[in-house]
């Protein structure tokens, strides 16, 4: 849709979570409507950002019946479509401010601009075909530094001139002395003409390089890193003196790449795409960190020897058991991206890097002694399972000596400060998690997402560096993201509720009532009454904290009636679905309304491994995927039977991706408790999934084959007793269709009955075509109707 309805309300009440008899009867929903193109709901605010003057905001929204995203501006009461003639003066999200916060660098469509925050004047810095990136202010405040490809540049505001600072090349230095060779040495010794020609060439080269270095109007000489590496990322010091470069071995990843077949194509012929690589002891490649003195072009490989524990192998016993070679030297590490792994102080005097062991057991933050070219460890986080890939942000305070960082060392992700004397203290604490940190311009106040009330209730919180006092600034329950205004006085908050897709509003940065700016829902959707999910704690019989769940049921249960139970399993494993936000699974939520209409009760659980519950919850599945989660679902089933009149003899389960995997585990490992299930785009064998996700939890197949065996549904195929639907997109490039095909072959060989495989030729991992959504959920509905009633 191309318009937004402004709301006059200045505050929004959070939806209640408990259904009661006085609630209006839910509006009936059909399967066709629930699975239709979601434009009928009203498209959410996908992203939002401030204008330069802190008085206007912008947001993007999908256009109805189109894949195009439109940009809107709100400068008063109503939202207006940004016209084409306005695009050249548009602000962008995530500006980079100078130290005084009087200027900001904007990156828009790969081009770079500077905005004067006093006058609003916009100056274009660079216009090119290759996108600029990693913009930052130089230490002097008068220059803007940025990267294009692997090259670093500096823009002078006074001269309006862009100059190269460092030009990185993955090639041999053509001016480097050749390797020693006895024939060459003999020729130069015996043939004086050759020796003179070589001297003339060397003298000319030396003079050219000397002149170039002395002439400030000329570009610097390239910095050659050799032809055996690739550049992963680089970061320039704000004072322009040093460059940190992350490299990897060129052509070092020897893992095989499979082919993904496509059968329904424009050409009418079968076509293939390359698949992603699979989990293996062979990958991913180790990273190396190089320090470069820009003026001299001197390149120094930084040793990792001083990182505590870098030589210790936490998986040594497994290597012995599998008769694999012992670790030699340091463990391999990776530095994942500049914004995640390298942070300079504003004056360029200090830099910190974040390295993570490829075995996933350690994460280090280290400073770099620039003069000595040596790492200085600042913080180590170890985990016998795996170090969280989230909650690893860090950076320097305005004093250029105090480091802030996130750590899960308490068991929950929290914010810490480390002063120059090496003393660290937490700024947040408790059995809840902070995330998405934004600092005020003076570095005294941190703003972040928080869930201190309930794991699924998200607000914007703040704390200060003086006493660490925690303050909840919002009371919305379903905050999705936020942005601090350029003047630091307001927050632009993106939030949602169970049946309201993400909208935006503004609030004072000190807290208070929110001014709601948008409501993009259609009149048809807003007129409907929905079953409000009850957020309930399910007691655990296995010593875990309560397992939080969403319950969908009639407002009043009929006395004496037993209701068939449907259990939904969210995907990703680490995702969190039991929140007050608008769910990723909004279609499934409407489907749950339909199921309740048809006489079912439904529960959706944040099983162990889900996001938002702390370290122990996250790592409960280490080396045993599908086991703790199944225990939680059995607890949920028993709770439904004991408290919600659930029929223990008629229980169905379904979900996609990890939810499909768990559907298999339920039907195959607890076949007497789960009568029917629909496994959508499921993992059936973890050896076929990607390395970055799987090796965290199960190590590698070569190193820990038993973990893969106990965690892979295909190993339990002989236990199938119930009714099973498998549905999978045939061009799924995340969980390959091959997973479901191999499981089908196992069922065929085992002569199993009551199962079916539904392939979708034009769908990848996330379905996009309403016809496919409808067909898939028609099959799920018919499965439950046929087997649970």
């Amino acid at each position: 849709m191309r318009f937004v309805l402004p709301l006059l309300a200045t505050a929004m009440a959070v939806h209640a979570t408990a259904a009661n008899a006085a609630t209006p009867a839910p509006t009936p929903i059909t399967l066709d409507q629930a699975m239709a193109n979601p434009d009928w709901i009203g498209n959410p605010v996908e992203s939002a950002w401030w204008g330069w003057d802190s008085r206007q905001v912008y947001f993007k929204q999908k256009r109805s019946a189109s894949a195009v995203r439109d940009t809107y501006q709100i400068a008063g009461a109503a939202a207006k479509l940004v016209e084409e003639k306005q695009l050249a003066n548009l602000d962008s999200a995530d500006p980079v401010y100078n130290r005084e916060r009087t200027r900001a660098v904007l990156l828009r469509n790969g081009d770079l601009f500077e905005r004067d925050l006093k006058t609003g004047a916009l100056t274009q810095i660079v216009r090119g075909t290759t996108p600029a990136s990693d913009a930052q202010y130089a230490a002097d405040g008068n220059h803007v530094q940025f990267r294009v490809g692997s090259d670093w540049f500096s823009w002078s505001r006074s001269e309006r001139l862009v100059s190269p600072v460092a030009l990185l090349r993955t090639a041999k230095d053509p001016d480097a002395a050749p390797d020693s060779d006895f024939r060459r040495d003999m020729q130069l010794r015996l043939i004086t003409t050759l020796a003179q020609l070589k001297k003339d060439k060397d003298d000319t080269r030396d003079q050219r390089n000397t002149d170039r270095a002395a002439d400030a109007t000329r570009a610097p000489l390239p910095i050659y890193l050799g032809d055996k590496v690739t550049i992963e990322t680089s970061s320039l010091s704000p004072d322009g003196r040093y460059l940190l470069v992350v490299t990897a071995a060129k052509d070092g990843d020897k893992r095989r790449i499979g082919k993904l077949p496509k059968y329904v194509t424009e050409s009418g012929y079968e076509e293939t795409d390359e698949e992603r690589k699979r989990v293996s002891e062979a990958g991913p490649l180790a990273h190396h960190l190089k320090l470069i003195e820009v003026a001299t072009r001197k390149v120094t490989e930084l040793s990792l020897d001083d990182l505590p524990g870098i030589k210790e192998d936490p998986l040594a016993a497994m290597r012995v058991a599998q008769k694999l070679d012992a670790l030699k030297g340091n463990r391999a590490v990776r530095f994942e991206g500049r914004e995640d792994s390298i942070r300079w102080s504003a004056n360029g005097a200090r830099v910190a890097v974040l390295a993570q062991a490829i075995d996933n057991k350690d994460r280090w933050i280290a400073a770099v002694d620039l003069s000595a070219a040596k790492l200085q460890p600042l913080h180590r986080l170890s985990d016998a399972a795996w170090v969280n890939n989230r909650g690893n942000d860090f950076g320097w305070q305005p004093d250029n000596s105090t480091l802030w960082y996130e750590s899960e060392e308490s068991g929950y992700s929290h914010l810490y400060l480390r002063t120059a004397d090496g003393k660290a203290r937490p700024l947040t604490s408790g059995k809840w998690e902070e995330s998405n940190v934004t600092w005020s311009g003076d570095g005294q106040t941190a703003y972040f997402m928080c869930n201190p009330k309930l794991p699924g209730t998200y607000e914007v919180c703040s704390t200060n560096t003086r006493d660490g006092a925690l303050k909840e600034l919002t009371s919305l329950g379903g905050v999705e993201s936020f942005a601090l205004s350029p003047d630091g006085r307001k927050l632009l908050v993106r939030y949602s509720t169970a049946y309201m897709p993400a909208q935006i509003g503004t609030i004072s940065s000190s807290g208070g009532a929110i001014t709601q700016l948008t409501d993009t829902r259609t009149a048809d959707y807003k007129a409907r009454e929905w079953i409000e999910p009850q957020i309930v704690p399910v007691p655990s019989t296995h010593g875990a904290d309560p397992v939080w769940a969403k319950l969908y049921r009639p407002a009043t249960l009929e006395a004496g009636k037993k209701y068939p139970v449907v259990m939904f399993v969210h995907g990703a494993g680490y995702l969190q679905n039991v929140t007050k936000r608008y769910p990723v699974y909004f279609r499934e939520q409407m489907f749950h309304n339909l199921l309740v209409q048809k006489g079912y009760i439904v529960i959706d659980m944040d099983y162990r491994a889900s996001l938002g519950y702390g370290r122990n919850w996250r790592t409960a599945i280490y080396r045993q995927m599908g086991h703790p989660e199944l225990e939680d679902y059995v607890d949920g089933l028993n709770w439904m039977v004991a408290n919600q009149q659930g029929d223990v003899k008629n229980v169905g389960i379904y979900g996609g991706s990890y939810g499909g995997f768990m559907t298999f585990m339920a039907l195959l490992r607890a076949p007497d408790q789960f009568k029917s299930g629909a496994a959508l785009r499921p993992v059936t064998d973890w050896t076929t999934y990607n390395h970055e996700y799987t090796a965290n939890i199960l190590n590698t197949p070569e190193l820990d084959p038993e973990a893969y065996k106990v965690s892979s549904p295909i190993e339990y195929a002989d236990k199938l007793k119930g009714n099973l639907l498998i549905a999978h997109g045939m061009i799924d490039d995340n969980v390959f269709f091959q997973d479901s095909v191999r499981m089908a072959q196992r069922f065929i060989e085992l002569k199993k009955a009551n199962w079916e495989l539904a392939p979708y030729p034009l769908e990848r991992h996330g379905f996009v075509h309403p016809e496919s959504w409808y067909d898939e959920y028609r099959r799920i509905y018919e499965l439950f109707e046929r087997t649970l009633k």
Side-chain angles (χ1 to χ4, degrees):
M1 65 188 276
R2 300 195 62 177
F3 63 93
V4 178
L5 302 175
L7 291 189
L8 299 179
T10 58
M12 189 196 77
V14 177
H15 282 202
T17 59
N20 56 68
T23 301
T27 306
I29 183 75
T30 65
L31 188 61
D32 193 47
Q33 183 77 77
M35 300 300 145
N37 187 311
D39 284 357
W40 80 272
I41 296 170
N43 292 309
V45 173
E46 293 183 343
S47 61
W49 62 97
W50 286 100
W52 68 271
D53 59 1
S54 301
R55 293 197 294 266
Q56 54 191 326
V57 300
Y58 299 93
F59 67 90
K60 283 191 177 294
Q61 183 190 22
K62 178 187 172 297
R63 186 184 302 177
S64 183
S66 172
V68 172
R69 267 58 183 175
D70 290 313
T71 301
Y72 291 87
Q73 178 189 44
I74 302 177
K80 296 181 180 179
L81 181 69
V82 174
E83 302 292 343
E84 292 182 359
K85 62 183 180 181
Q86 299 173 289
L87 294 177
N89 196 48
L90 199 65
D91 291 300
S92 64
D94 303 317
V96 176
Y97 299 103
N98 66 348
R99 186 167 45 248
E100 298 78 18
R101 292 182 81 87
T102 57
R103 298 177 181 275
V105 176
L106 314 175
L107 188 63
R108 192 177 69 217
N109 302 319
D111 294 326
L112 210 57
F113 305 80
E114 186 183 52
R115 177 82 76 179
D116 186 323
L117 298 182
K118 293 181 178 179
T119 66
L122 187 67
T123 302
Q124 185 160 10
I125 295 173
V126 64
R127 179 187 301 162
T129 56
T130 303
S133 62
D134 296 339
Q136 62 187 23
Y137 275 97
D140 62 10
N142 298 319
H143 295 76
V144 173
Q145 300 164 335
F146 59 95
R147 181 169 60 84
V148 177
S150 297
D151 297 333
W152 281 89
F153 297 86
S154 177
W155 173 75
S156 168
R157 186 181 305 109
S158 59
E159 298 175 337
R160 293 294 193 268
L161 182 66
V162 172
S163 305
V165 177
L167 308 175
L168 296 176
R169 298 290 180 266
T170 53
K172 292 182 179 179
D173 187 345
D175 292 336
D179 295 336
S180 178
D181 181 270
F182 82 91
R183 288 187 177 86
R184 180 185 297 107
D185 295 342
M186 182 178 66
Q187 289 289 89
L188 293 175
R189 177 171 58 84
L190 296 176
I191 311 299
T192 57
T193 302
L194 286 177
Q196 185 60 46
L197 288 172
K198 179 181 183 302
K199 181 178 183 303
D200 292 345
K201 183 176 69 173
D202 290 346
D203 289 346
T204 300
R205 178 201 64 209
D206 292 343
Q207 184 62 44
R208 182 181 69 245
N209 291 346
T210 299
D211 291 347
R212 191 169 184 176
D215 186 350
T217 66
R218 300 188 65 183
L221 290 166
I223 300 169
Y224 293 95
L225 301 178
D227 59 359
K228 299 186 185 306
V229 301
T230 60
I231 298 171
E232 301 295 303
T233 191
S234 62
S235 185
L236 179 68
S237 65
D239 60 13
R241 296 177 59 197
Y242 294 96
L243 191 66
L244 281 172
V245 184
V246 176
T247 65
K250 184 179 181 180
D251 301 324
D253 192 341
K254 303 300 184 182
R255 288 177 293 172
R256 179 176 174 177
I257 300 176
K259 297 295 183 180
L260 183 69
K262 298 188 291 184
Y263 295 100
V264 180
T265 64
E266 284 188 28
S267 69
Y269 290 88
E270 300 85 351
E271 299 173 4
T272 60
D273 288 338
E274 285 195 346
E275 295 178 336
R276 56 153 173 79
K277 295 176 181 177
R278 307 181 188 206
V279 60
S280 168
E281 189 71 7
L285 291 179
H287 282 166
H288 301 272
L289 187 63
K290 293 175 169 57
L291 176 66
I292 298 174
E293 294 180 22
V294 174
T296 64
R297 299 186 295 142
K298 180 183 178 182
V299 180
T300 304
E301 177 95 14
L302 293 178
S303 171
L304 304 178
D305 289 350
D306 290 327
L307 295 180
I310 189 68
K311 295 182 182 299
E312 301 165 7
D313 183 7
L315 299 173
M318 288 186 184
R319 296 188 198 282
V320 172
Q322 299 305 320
K323 299 180 180 179
L324 297 175
D325 293 339
L327 177 71
K328 296 178 181 179
N330 294 332
R331 282 187 280 161
V333 304
R334 285 178 68 85
F335 302 87
E336 299 291 355
R338 174 180 180 267
E339 286 303 317
D340 294 328
S341 65
I342 304 174
R343 297 289 171 87
W344 293 92
S345 61
N347 63 2
R350 288 181 169 84
V351 63
V353 298
L354 185 144
Q356 187 155 339
I358 286 181
D359 61 28
N360 307 304
K361 310 300 182 187
D362 274 288
R363 183 220 72 187
W364 299 270
I365 299 176
V368 180
D369 184 331
L370 298 170
S371 59
K374 188 176 182 180
L375 292 182
Q376 298 175 323
L378 302 178
H379 183 261
R380 178 187 183 186
L381 182 63
S382 298
D383 199 304
W386 76 93
V387 173
N388 200 351
N389 289 332
R390 300 165 183 262
N392 287 329
D393 204 0
F394 67 108
W396 297 95
Q397 290 287 77
D399 64 5
N400 295 306
S401 61
T402 301
L403 183 78
W404 66 267
Y405 61 92
E406 293 176 303
S407 174
E408 204 183 36
E409 61 199 69
S410 71
Y412 295 84
S413 179
H414 283 297
L415 184 61
Y416 294 79
L417 283 183
R418 185 187 189 278
T419 49
D421 59 8
K423 295 180 180 179
R425 62 183 175 96
L427 285 184
T428 63
S429 61
K431 291 184 66 174
W432 56 273
E433 304 213 310
E434 60 73 38
S435 60
N436 304 102
V437 181
T438 295
W439 286 92
S440 60
D442 60 8
Q444 298 301 304
T445 304
Y447 302 90
F448 46 87
M449 301 283 291
C450 59
N451 60 349
K453 290 179 180 176
L454 290 173
T457 301
Y458 283 89
E459 307 291 356
V460 183
C461 285
S462 69
T463 191
N464 64 77
T465 58
R466 298 183 303 279
D467 56 21
L470 181 70
K471 183 177 182 181
E472 286 191 43
L473 303 178
T474 59
S475 55
L476 300 168
V479 173
E480 304 264 2
S481 60
F482 70 94
L484 184 66
S485 63
D487 63 10
R489 297 178 181 178
K490 290 179 285 187
L491 296 170
L492 176 60
V493 181
R494 184 170 166 269
Y495 62 100
S496 62
T497 64
Y499 291 99
M500 184 181 73
Q503 309 298 329
I504 54 174
T506 57
I507 188 174
S508 167
S509 58
S510 60
I514 192 164
T515 300
Q516 189 171 354
L517 298 178
T518 65
D519 187 345
T520 61
R521 293 173 293 175
T522 65
D524 180 21
Y525 181 78
K526 288 177 66 175
R528 290 174 172 267
E529 295 289 343
W530 300 98
I531 297 171
E532 197 69 32
Q534 300 180 47
I535 297 182
V536 296
V538 174
S540 170
T541 62
H542 299 276
D545 288 335
V547 186
W548 289 94
K550 283 182 179 178
L551 173 65
Y552 298 84
R553 45 154 279 183
T556 303
L557 299 174
E558 294 181 25
K561 179 178 178 179
K562 294 293 184 181
Y563 291 81
V565 177
V566 171
M567 309 190 82
F568 174 68
V569 192
H570 70 67
Y574 54 79
L575 190 146
Q576 184 179 18
N577 202 44
V578 182
T579 73
K580 292 189 176 182
R581 295 166 170 162
Y582 187 71
V584 173
Y585 300 98
F586 62 92
R587 291 182 183 87
E588 288 80 354
Q589 182 168 252
M590 291 186 284
F591 182 58
H592 297 161
N593 276 252
L594 184 150
L595 290 175
V596 173
Q597 290 170 203
K598 300 299 183 180
Y600 299 84
I601 53 176
V602 182
I603 192 168
D604 166 7
M605 306 183 73
D606 269 352
Y607 49 85
R608 275 174 285 177
S610 297
L611 178 70
Y613 297 85
R615 183 265 171 194
N616 290 344
W617 199 265
R618 175 178 64 80
T619 61
I621 63 171
Y622 179 57
R623 303 189 68 226
Q624 54 172 356
M625 293 171 80
H627 292 251
E629 309 96 295
L630 183 55
E631 293 173 350
D632 294 342
Y633 268 84
V634 171
D635 282 342
L637 169 57
N638 293 334
W639 183 85
M640 292 285 275
V641 171
N643 298 278
Q644 302 296 328
Q645 299 177 211
D647 184 352
V648 72
K649 296 180 179 180
N650 288 293
V651 180
I653 186 168
Y654 86 101
S657 193
Y658 202 95
F661 154 72
M662 279 305 304
T663 296
F664 271 132
M665 294 299 267
L667 263 68
L668 302 179
R669 294 192 56 250
D672 295 325
Q673 292 171 290
F674 295 91
K675 191 174 182 181
S676 299
L680 320 177
R681 53 198 184 276
V683 174
T684 67
D685 181 355
W686 286 107
T687 67
T688 67
Y689 201 56
N690 70 40
H691 186 99
E692 290 71 17
Y693 176 89
T694 319
N696 275 336
I697 307 169
L698 301 179
N699 303 307
T700 65
E702 300 90 338
L703 192 62
D704 201 352
E706 185 62 23
Y708 282 81
K709 183 176 180 180
V710 302
S711 301
S712 294
I714 200 166
E715 300 283 355
Y716 305 95
D718 61 314
K719 303 295 191 297
L720 179 66
K721 292 170 61 176
N723 308 277
L724 174 65
L725 164 68
I726 308 170
H728 210 139
M730 293 178 68
I731 54 173
D732 190 336
D733 51 5
N734 182 359
V735 179
F736 301 143
F737 182 57
Q738 181 189 37
D739 265 49
S740 289
V741 173
R742 290 179 62 225
M743 182 65 93
Q745 182 61 28
R746 283 290 291 145
F747 288 150
I748 291 169
E749 293 176 356
L750 293 165
K751 299 180 180 178
K752 293 296 181 180
N754 303 319
W755 66 273
E756 63 174 312
L757 171 61
Y760 294 86
L762 287 176
E763 298 294 353
R764 294 193 183 272
H765 195 60
F767 284 18
V768 295
H769 304 292
E771 300 83 3
S772 299
W773 278 105
Y774 175 83
D775 184 85
E776 183 179 51
Y777 276 77
R778 173 188 60 79
R779 293 173 186 271
I780 299 170
Y781 175 67
E782 291 175 352
L783 171 71
F784 291 155
E785 285 286 281
R786 184 173 68 250
T787 61
L788 300 183
K789 286 185 175 179

